[in-house]
Amino acid sequence: MSSVTSQLTDQNKLVIAIDGPSGSGKSSVAKAVAKQLGLSYLDTGAMYRAMTWWVLEKGVDPIDGEMVFDVAKAAQIIPGTNPNNPTIHVGDVDVSAPIRGDLVTGAVSAVSAVPEVRKLLVALQREISSVAPKGIVVEGRDIGSVVLPNANLKLYITADPAAREIGR
């Protein structure tokens, strides 16, 4: 068993993986659970968006997987894990707002489809999860099956369109 895997199953840490489709309420639930339990919070989707922002800033075509990976290796993605104020930085630039814009939204699927980018970010997600002082709530795609398969609790959240509108 790897050191990361053994740390993630440490009895003193609670690791909660929340997965589900876009718009199902993963972020809202994950932040609320993290706050209630006094745990760290990680939005993995924001990490992919931050990487996409970096790729676009470097002038790389998001569908050029080789070039995307070349610039991705130099990116310093730094997610804040405070559920009361989740942030995301690329190096010293706070990209919390720009990653939600149309340019990033339109390119994030292409960047996140690059296998080498996924490997980089999954490794970072595991590392962040392993050092969370009390534990962590991690939300995003494939969290319980790929990123944190040994999580203490795995949730898959869905919501029909009518329920999604109630919360908005």
Side-chain angles (χ1 to χ4, degrees):
M1 182 165 20
S2 76
S3 64
V4 170
T5 304
S6 64
Q7 288 175 349
L8 293 178
T9 57
D10 182 331
Q11 293 297 326
N12 297 323
K13 290 185 182 185
L14 180 58
V15 177
I16 300 174
I18 300 181
D19 199 342
S22 176
S24 61
K26 291 185 303 288
S27 296
S28 298
V29 170
K31 282 187 256 185
V33 169
K35 288 176 191 177
Q36 184 69 31
L37 298 177
L39 302 176
S40 299
Y41 162 75
L42 183 61
D43 176 355
T44 63
M47 295 174 73
Y48 284 97
R49 286 176 167 275
M51 183 65 79
T52 302
W53 177 88
W54 173 257
V55 167
L56 294 171
E57 279 292 299
K58 295 299 175 188
V60 172
D61 183 344
I63 62 171
D64 183 343
E66 189 173 316
M67 286 299 298
V68 165
F69 178 56
D70 282 345
V71 300
K73 292 184 283 189
Q76 293 180 313
I77 308 297
I78 307 163
T81 58
N82 179 344
N84 295 307
N85 183 29
T87 59
I88 186 88
H89 287 78
V90 179
D92 61 355
V93 178
D94 183 347
V95 296
S96 301
I99 66 168
R100 303 299 175 186
D102 291 341
L103 286 176
V104 169
T105 298
V108 70
S109 291
V111 171
S112 64
V114 177
E116 296 85 0
V117 168
R118 293 189 69 76
K119 286 178 188 173
L120 286 173
L121 291 179
V122 166
L124 181 56
Q125 292 158 9
R126 287 177 177 161
E127 178 61 27
I128 291 166
S129 298
S130 74
V131 299
K134 294 180 181 179
I136 193 163
V137 180
V138 182
E139 61 106 340
R141 305 274 174 96
D142 301 327
I143 299 305
S145 59
V146 175
V147 179
L148 300 170
N150 295 324
N152 304 93
L153 178 63
K154 300 176 191 180
L155 302 172
Y156 189 88
I157 297 176
T158 61
D160 67 36
R164 292 179 200 173
E165 290 302 316
I166 292 171
R168 291 186 186 176

